[in-house]
Amino acid sequence: MPLLSPHNHQPLIQRKQSFGSLEMVNMELDKQLDLQQPFGVDYGKLENGLVYYVKCNPKPRKRASLALAVKVGSILEEEYERGVAHIVEHLAFSATKKYTNHNIVKFLESIGAEFGPCQNAVTSFDETIYKLLIPIDKPELLSEAIQVLAEFSSEIRLSKDDLEKERGAVMEEYRDNRNANGRILDAYWTLMMEGSKYADRSPIGLENVIKTVSSQTLKKFYQKWYHLCNMAVIAVGDFSDTKSVIELIKTHFGHKYSALDPPSIPHFKVPSHEDPRFSYFVEPEASGCAVMISNKMQVDELKTMKDYREMLVKSMFRIALNRRLFRISRRKDPPYFSCSVASYVLVRDLKAYIMSSSCKEKGTLEALESMLIEVARVRLHGFSEREISVVRDLLMSSIESAYLERDQIESTSLRYEYSQHFTHNKPIIGIEYEAQLQKSILPDILASEVSKFAEKLWTSCSCVIQIVEPQAFASVDDMKNIVMKINKLENERSISPWDDEQIPEEIVSLKPNIGNIVQQREHENIGATELILSNGMHVCYKCTDFFNDQVLFTGFSYGGLSELPENKYFSSSMGSTIAEEIGMYGHRPSVLMDMLAGKRVDVDVEVRSYKRSFYGDCSPFYLETAFQLVYQLFTTEVTPDDEVIKRVMQVKEETILARERDPYTSFSNRAREINYGNSYFFRPFGISDLQKVDPLKACEYFNTCFKDPSTFTVVIVGKINPTVTVPLILKYLGGIGKPPEPIFHFNCDRIKSLPFKFPKSMTREVVCSPMIEAQCMVRICLPIELKHGTMEEEIHYTGFLAKLLETKLLQLLRFKHGQIYSASVSEFIHGDLPCLTGDIGGDIQIDFSCDPKISLKLVDMALNEILRLQEEGPADQDVETILEIEQRAHENGLQVKFLLLYAFNIYYI
């Protein structure tokens, strides 16, 4: 029976029903939601207890996203087993009854399904998930992939030899986590989970267990907990039908049986507490100063319409509070640089609302006070109806977009949704019904209801507060005093109401002078139309049906930072950052945020070495808004604002200081210096460089970057209707005035290349940096030069070579010797092709972390492998594997519009 959908290449069926015509739901709050059967998926259970989820889904085509979800995680480990669940997951890919010597990895790579860290499996506190994303254009591939999952369920070998080979890789993953962020999170987690077994069951485990645990201990854990009644197989893909896939699951799993009376999965409670817990954590290597306030609570049950309504209320509270916190961060002398609140599921039945901020050094107590005041302000005065109206528009817009693209969800997203249903009982009611519910419920939710949720965020409600600083400037007693101070202010009602901003109604205040088309060309080979407008701008558009609610666009012009001398570089390189904070679209970011509420549109800019560009995406319904923002970008004169400049410079300074605290900074700086010399262009921004920044010159440079439309090419692809789109193009893009004189005085065919020189001889250097816990990073850089005449072909060769090196180094250093966890090989081309007319230099960069004691040995092994490949060439099988991986990646790329944008960029340069 064919496994591929027969409609694989057919255009998507038109929507039968728009969001606006969706019927409203009769709101009986006590009405039970239908949660027995997850919506839209074939769901069942085999006689041996295995649960399955099978779903036909055409995104991406000819692909299937598979998983084996196991309700077994680190929480089930005894003290002497800490880390065992994670090691079992690693060894699954080493050897099973049928597959030995990492043959599972070889199988995945041979069919173009890449293997990599965290791509194929993850172990958490409560579950382990094995994941595969495979091509299914050959019928046998799906069957073998399901067989691999079946092997994981009961046939992992867990031999002594397998364990010894993998210990180094697991140990390196452990070592990677022993940095500043790892220590901060460990301390916070322990405090959050105090009084529960979760407090000391981190999935990565203990170093001593990783180094000494026996294969017998692994086998006992595996045999005790890995039972089919604790597992689910998930298959989402471009299948012709689900029945044949279910039959494959039955074929590979149906004959398996677990123990007659397997142990039940125990439930571990996390106790609540009234007294807030405090942590003042001094971390010398911290990337910055931070404050976190968490309130733990039980995961919401979603059984009735009332439950769903309460879920929406909590979402609205979170969004409304975040919008206030963002505004505060943009004030004069703000208490923090950034602050937001989010909801996280911590473990199976527990979640937390975590408000986190980053702030200046010695500013953590001020940030803590401001964060607590804002929650108290909501409790006292609530949100305004205008604020909640904005949030309502945002949520309504979001669910409308999800509804319009309900048949275009990626298979990996559905796979995750089904795994959450199995491991965390997260209900699946279907996007169609959710759209009806939200359309019915959202208009009736009042500001008073949303504000009331702040009552659950008292510091007496299982609250944990942590401050992180690189040096000790305060104490836990100071933190407690802040909490008491805010409680007193709230009890006295001494906190003033929120002062709301006035929001303009129109993005564009003055109507543009509509342009016209001076030339039109049809490019039938790519199905695109090119327009040359009266102001000189080139616009190319193509209608596609990849997504029903998305249009992508980019505009670019050559000439960028490489043209600048050193005395202008530092100010100009800060231009985009300063302009964004002042308001490059004619409105301050905090104001524009509300003006765009409910409009699915996003526009950003980038000024790079050789190119200036704007880019973004939007719903077809808001294409006019997107073009209005582009019009504003070209017509707004950004001028320095003292308050904004002070904040931007302060954030930049804190970023520089944080980078200098990072022990890896000296390594990366030296590597950059060796490769590219001490050029100002490649040298990291320092405090002395920051002092050279002239805000006026920064704004002047940014204004010139987006001033002359005649030098820009704009590419638009997506769900567009030319009869609607072209008039908008003429009005807003054609309405941008062309300056009387050229802004940039250079020849676009002779872009100034970057000022660097790669070393002419081999350089080996060890950079030593003091660290709290020993780590090591290895970087090997190989120069490349692309000839102008054969550049496009050589770019592909470079990509193939990088992938080949990555595969071979992983085979050698991880799978054969077990000394690294991962390796990355990337190519860096010093140019935006093909704007440079000469040859282009670049380099291939190899990175991996390892035990410092064996780093030099691994470097020699890597260099010897590279030398061997140069002398002998790759084996035919290696070439076939790489070509298969690249071909599969290319097929996936053809299914997204980003590739079209890239193709258009190449075509029109």
Side-chain angles (χ1 to χ4, degrees):
M1 182 176 292
L3 293 173
L4 276 176
S5 167
H7 306 294
N8 237 24
H9 304 289
Q10 296 300 315
L12 292 168
I13 298 171
Q14 291 292 322
R15 289 287 169 270
K16 294 180 180 179
Q17 187 179 35
S18 69
F19 181 78
S21 62
L22 273 178
E23 293 183 4
M24 306 290 273
V25 175
N26 183 17
M27 291 310 302
E28 299 177 14
L29 294 182
D30 292 329
K31 181 182 178 182
Q32 294 284 317
L33 298 173
D34 183 10
L35 305 176
Q36 296 299 313
Q37 184 85 8
F39 179 84
V41 59
D42 278 16
Y43 169 76
K45 183 183 288 189
L46 303 186
E47 292 182 4
N48 56 21
L50 179 80
V51 172
Y52 63 80
Y53 301 76
V54 180
K55 167 79 171 177
C56 295
N57 190 65
K59 287 282 189 176
R61 294 194 297 266
K62 302 180 184 178
R63 298 291 184 277
S65 187
L66 310 178
L68 177 70
V70 188
K71 293 180 181 178
V72 175
S74 58
I75 192 62
L76 299 178
E77 297 165 350
E78 300 299 332
E79 184 67 23
Y80 66 92
E81 296 175 317
R82 290 177 62 180
V84 162
H86 177 239
I87 297 174
V88 168
E89 172 232 297
H90 267 250
L91 291 177
F93 294 90
S94 296
T96 65
K97 184 176 180 179
K98 181 182 178 185
Y99 300 90
T100 60
N101 194 29
H102 291 100
N103 281 339
I104 288 176
V105 177
K106 295 173 186 175
F107 160 68
L108 293 175
E109 291 182 335
S110 72
I111 64 173
E114 293 189 55
F115 174 85
C118 301
Q119 285 186 349
N120 300 98
V122 61
T123 301
S124 62
F125 293 93
D126 296 305
E127 66 269 347
T128 302
I129 311 291
Y130 300 90
K131 302 176 289 185
L132 304 175
L133 179 61
I134 63 161
I136 55 170
D137 48 356
K138 299 174 184 177
E140 68 273 12
L141 297 183
L142 180 60
S143 179
E144 185 160 2
I146 292 175
Q147 184 178 45
V148 167
L149 296 181
E151 291 280 298
F152 291 162
S153 72
S154 60
E155 307 294 347
I156 303 176
R157 190 165 69 179
L158 303 174
S159 71
K160 182 178 179 181
D161 288 345
D162 297 332
L163 175 58
E164 293 309 316
K165 284 184 179 180
E166 194 66 17
R167 255 190 233 278
V170 179
M171 190 61 222
E172 189 52 38
E173 187 177 358
Y174 172 87
R175 190 181 289 108
D176 279 347
N177 285 286
R178 300 311 303 159
N179 55 19
N181 286 339
R183 290 188 290 271
I184 292 167
L185 290 175
D186 281 353
Y188 197 48
W189 181 265
T190 301
L191 189 64
M192 289 268 283
M193 297 294 161
E194 186 178 296
S196 164
K197 189 179 179 182
Y198 284 106
D200 55 6
R201 285 297 179 273
S202 173
I204 195 63
L206 297 178
E207 179 178 0
N208 182 57
V209 173
I210 295 171
K211 288 182 174 180
T212 64
V213 69
S214 69
S215 59
Q216 283 303 115
T217 300
L218 298 180
K219 288 178 181 178
K220 288 180 180 178
F221 181 87
Y222 183 63
Q223 292 165 359
K224 180 178 181 180
W225 296 113
Y226 268 60
H227 299 286
L228 294 176
C229 58
N230 297 328
M231 301 181 189
V233 172
I234 301 163
V236 185
D238 193 17
F239 312 129
S240 59
D241 65 279
T242 57
K243 184 178 179 181
S244 58
V245 181
I246 294 171
E247 287 302 315
L248 285 177
I249 292 172
K250 291 178 178 178
T251 297
H252 294 297
F253 283 91
H255 64 282
K256 294 178 177 290
Y257 288 94
S258 302
L260 293 177
D261 190 21
S264 59
I265 302 293
H267 183 74
F268 299 93
K269 290 283 188 180
V270 179
S272 59
H273 50 95
E274 289 188 8
D275 294 333
R277 296 173 182 167
F278 296 91
S279 168
Y280 188 83
F281 195 83
V282 178
E283 172 52 65
E285 296 174 4
S287 59
C289 301
V291 181
M292 286 181 283
I293 306 173
S294 301
N295 289 87
K296 295 172 290 183
M297 57 192 73
Q298 291 298 301
V299 170
D300 303 317
E301 285 190 314
L302 188 58
K303 294 182 178 180
T304 65
M305 284 194 177
K306 181 180 179 182
D307 296 333
Y308 193 90
R309 181 188 177 95
E310 289 179 356
M311 182 194 73
L312 288 177
V313 166
K314 293 170 185 177
S315 295
M316 295 177 78
F317 172 87
R318 191 170 63 248
I319 296 169
L321 182 58
N322 276 331
R323 295 176 79 81
R324 282 193 178 184
L325 297 173
F326 176 79
R327 282 195 166 85
I328 292 170
S329 73
R330 294 316 191 257
R331 288 177 179 171
K332 180 181 179 181
D333 296 322
Y336 41 71
F337 301 137
S338 64
C339 185
S340 63
V341 62
S343 173
Y344 300 95
V345 175
L346 303 177
V347 294
R348 187 162 287 156
D349 294 322
L350 187 75
K351 71 175 185 179
Y353 281 80
I354 302 178
M355 191 187 312
S356 56
S357 70
S358 62
C359 58
K360 62 187 176 184
E361 200 166 297
K362 302 181 184 180
T364 51
L365 294 179
E366 181 186 2
L368 173 62
E369 181 172 325
S370 176
M371 294 159 73
L372 292 171
I373 280 178
E374 285 316 306
V375 179
R377 195 189 312 276
V378 177
R379 280 194 293 264
L380 286 175
H381 305 290
F383 294 111
S384 69
E385 288 294 344
R386 192 200 72 81
E387 288 178 286
I388 297 307
S389 175
V390 167
V391 172
R392 188 182 295 114
D393 289 343
L394 283 167
L395 286 177
M396 197 73 84
S397 176
S398 177
I399 191 63
E400 180 180 8
S401 181
Y403 176 77
L404 291 175
E405 296 187 344
R406 61 194 182 278
D407 295 334
Q408 298 165 322
I409 302 172
E410 290 288 327
S411 292
T412 50
S413 298
L414 292 170
R415 179 182 67 186
Y416 174 76
E417 190 175 345
Y418 301 146
S419 68
Q420 288 290 295
H421 178 269
F422 178 70
T423 59
H424 288 75
N425 298 316
K426 189 173 181 180
I428 300 172
I429 61 176
I431 192 63
E432 292 89 345
Y433 190 44
E434 282 209 63
Q436 285 183 283
L437 285 174
Q438 292 196 31
K439 186 180 177 183
S440 304
I441 295 172
L442 283 170
D444 295 330
I445 295 177
L446 303 176
S448 56
E449 290 181 77
V450 178
S451 306
K452 193 174 181 181
F453 182 71
E455 297 289 337
K456 295 184 179 293
L457 303 184
W458 286 98
T459 53
S460 58
C461 298
S462 295
C463 183
V464 179
I465 302 175
Q466 183 189 49
I467 282 179
V468 177
E469 294 199 272
Q471 300 179 57
F473 296 112
S475 66
V476 167
D477 286 341
D478 294 325
M479 297 167 68
K480 292 179 178 179
N481 289 336
I482 293 290
V483 170
M484 289 189 291
K485 174 184 175 181
I486 304 307
N487 288 342
K488 183 173 183 292
L489 289 173
E490 184 171 0
N491 289 334
E492 295 172 351
R493 302 188 68 83
S494 299
I495 299 172
S496 60
W498 176 258
D499 186 14
D500 216 353
E501 288 187 84
Q502 292 296 317
I503 307 299
E505 292 185 3
E506 299 292 335
I507 294 174
V508 177
S509 54
L510 297 176
K511 291 185 177 181
N513 294 318
I514 298 175
N516 60 288
I517 300 169
V518 298
Q519 189 175 352
Q520 179 170 334
R521 290 185 291 193
E522 300 298 328
H523 298 279
E524 296 180 359
N525 59 326
I526 57 175
T529 300
E530 181 186 3
L531 309 176
I532 300 178
L533 308 184
S534 50
N535 59 8
M537 180 178 280
H538 288 238
V539 179
C540 182
Y541 66 84
K542 177 180 172 68
C543 306
T544 66
D545 60 359
F546 291 110
F547 292 97
N548 288 317
D549 193 46
Q550 190 181 61
V551 176
L552 294 177
F553 53 88
T554 183
F556 56 90
S557 176
Y558 281 106
L561 296 172
S562 73
E563 305 295 325
L564 301 171
E566 184 171 357
N567 64 346
K568 294 183 179 180
Y569 173 76
F570 297 105
S571 294
S572 300
S573 65
M574 287 287 291
S576 298
T577 303
I578 292 173
E580 181 179 10
E581 293 299 318
I582 292 172
M584 63 177 68
Y585 305 111
H587 306 278
R588 295 195 317 276
S590 59
V591 172
L592 188 65
M593 176 178 67
D594 274 5
M595 296 178 74
L596 297 178
K599 297 178 179 180
R600 299 189 293 281
V601 59
D602 182 49
V603 183
D604 207 346
V605 304
E606 190 173 37
V607 179
R608 298 176 59 184
S609 306
Y610 304 125
K611 188 167 67 174
R612 295 155 285 126
S613 61
F614 61 85
Y615 56 93
D617 67 281
C618 65
S619 165
F621 301 113
Y622 297 106
L623 188 58
E624 181 172 11
T625 303
F627 287 168
Q628 286 176 339
L629 292 174
V630 174
Y631 176 82
Q632 289 290 97
L633 173 66
F634 277 80
T635 57
T636 296
E637 285 288 331
V638 178
T639 56
D641 179 289
D642 290 343
E643 290 182 13
V644 173
I645 298 300
K646 179 181 177 181
R647 187 178 70 247
V648 169
M649 294 303 184
Q650 192 173 44
V651 171
K652 186 68 174 179
E653 182 178 350
E654 290 290 336
T655 302
I656 293 169
L657 294 174
R659 189 183 68 229
E660 291 175 351
R661 286 192 295 269
D662 186 342
Y664 279 110
T665 295
S666 57
F667 167 81
S668 58
N669 287 353
R670 181 58 184 147
R672 188 183 291 110
E673 184 179 356
I674 291 171
N675 286 334
Y676 312 132
N678 198 30
S679 164
Y680 64 90
F681 200 92
F682 293 103
R683 190 175 68 237
F685 223 93
I687 296 295
S688 60
D689 299 320
L690 189 62
Q691 294 168 350
K692 300 175 186 176
V693 173
D694 182 331
L696 179 59
K697 291 181 178 178
C699 291
E700 288 175 347
Y701 176 75
F702 181 83
N703 289 332
T704 62
C705 286
F706 300 96
K707 183 64 65 177
D708 187 351
S710 67
T711 66
F712 275 80
T713 297
V714 180
V715 180
I716 308 164
V717 292
K719 194 79 171 181
I720 56 176
N721 180 347
T723 59
V724 175
T725 302
V726 172
L728 294 177
I729 289 173
L730 295 179
K731 181 176 182 179
Y732 295 106
L733 303 187
I736 299 169
K738 180 181 178 181
E741 298 292 334
I743 301 295
F744 287 100
H745 299 279
F746 59 82
N747 186 338
C748 289
D749 294 330
R750 293 289 176 183
I751 302 294
K752 183 179 177 182
S753 61
L754 293 176
F756 80 97
K757 292 182 179 180
F758 206 87
K760 294 182 179 180
S761 59
M762 184 174 182
T763 301
R764 294 183 65 144
E765 187 167 322
V766 176
V767 179
C768 296
S769 180
M771 293 183 176
I772 294 174
E773 296 185 62
Q775 294 183 314
C776 180
M777 174 62 71
V778 170
R779 177 165 297 167
I780 301 172
C781 294
L782 309 170
I784 55 175
E785 186 174 358
L786 306 181
K787 300 298 182 182
H788 181 69
T790 57
M791 195 173 296
E792 286 194 43
E793 187 175 286
E794 291 184 352
I795 288 174
H796 291 299
Y797 290 158
T798 302
F800 294 152
L801 177 59
K803 191 63 195 175
L804 173 67
L805 286 174
E806 184 174 288
T807 301
K808 298 306 291 182
L809 291 177
L810 274 173
Q811 289 175 359
L812 176 70
L813 302 181
R814 175 167 182 182
F815 300 134
K816 183 176 180 179
H817 294 283
Q819 297 296 345
I820 67 171
Y821 174 54
S822 66
S824 68
V825 180
S826 55
E827 66 272 22
F828 175 40
I829 309 298
H830 304 293
D832 279 306
L833 305 176
C835 66
L836 302 182
T837 56
D839 299 340
I840 289 183
D843 60 282
I844 289 179
Q845 183 172 296
I846 301 167
D847 287 301
F848 59 84
S849 62
C850 63
D851 184 341
K853 297 175 184 177
I854 61 171
S855 58
L856 297 180
K857 175 185 174 183
L858 297 186
V859 167
D860 288 338
M861 292 171 64
L863 291 175
N864 287 336
E865 179 66 8
I866 293 170
L867 183 61
R868 186 192 68 78
L869 288 169
Q870 288 176 322
E871 293 175 347
E872 301 175 9
D876 291 343
Q877 182 61 50
D878 293 330
V879 174
E880 290 175 10
T881 296
I882 299 307
L883 289 177
E884 188 71 19
I885 291 172
E886 292 297 317
Q887 176 63 30
R888 298 301 187 178
H890 179 68
E891 289 171 1
N892 279 340
L894 288 175
Q895 297 180 48
V896 296
K897 286 175 288 194
F898 291 107
L899 190 67
L900 282 171
L901 285 174
Y902 176 75
F904 279 139
N905 274 320
I906 293 297
Y907 185 84
Y908 279 100
I909 296 168

